[in-house]
Amino acid sequence: VGLTPTDIAMLTNRYLRNELPNEYLRVVDAMLRYKSIRAVAQKLFGSLSKRWIVRKILRECLHRLLEKGIIGGAIEKGNNSSKVMGQK
């Protein structure tokens, strides 16, 4: 989709804030503050090896944004190839 982790956090904060668990909100808020997956993992979990948790939560937020149609309006469901308009 081409969004940075910070972009995902901004959109999540704006559109999904009321429907996420507290753990997700902690990660989203930290991502907006520190702007780095490494920094968020270190601050929230005390270890860089926990970056996978931050990525997993951001990935889930991205899926929710796509499902709600907030982003990705031009993405065809079920088609894994990315097509540029005018190309076959």
Side-chain angles (χ1 to χ4, degrees):
V1 178
L3 297 171
T4 65
T6 306
D7 292 337
I8 296 168
M10 282 190 294
L11 290 169
T12 299
N13 190 47
R14 181 170 182 177
Y15 294 107
L16 302 177
R17 185 145 193 92
N18 296 329
E19 56 189 74
L20 291 176
N22 286 337
E23 181 182 355
Y24 283 34
L25 292 176
R26 284 182 56 224
V27 170
V28 168
D29 290 341
M31 194 70 216
L32 292 173
R33 183 174 183 182
Y34 300 115
K35 303 195 184 333
S36 163
I37 291 175
R38 292 173 60 120
V40 171
Q42 185 67 43
K43 297 287 185 180
L44 294 183
F45 304 109
S47 172
L48 290 179
S49 65
K50 301 291 184 177
R51 288 175 293 173
W52 67 272
I53 298 171
V54 178
R55 287 191 201 106
K56 180 180 172 187
I57 289 173
L58 289 173
R59 196 174 305 118
E60 174 65 27
C61 292
L62 177 61
H63 287 299
R64 288 187 186 201
L65 289 166
L66 287 168
E67 284 176 1
K68 289 194 167 279
I70 296 167
I71 58 174
I75 295 175
E76 294 178 27
K77 215 170 194 176
N79 188 357
N80 291 336
S81 65
S82 58
K83 294 182 180 178
V84 178
M85 292 182 71
Q87 291 184 350
K88 294 183 180 180

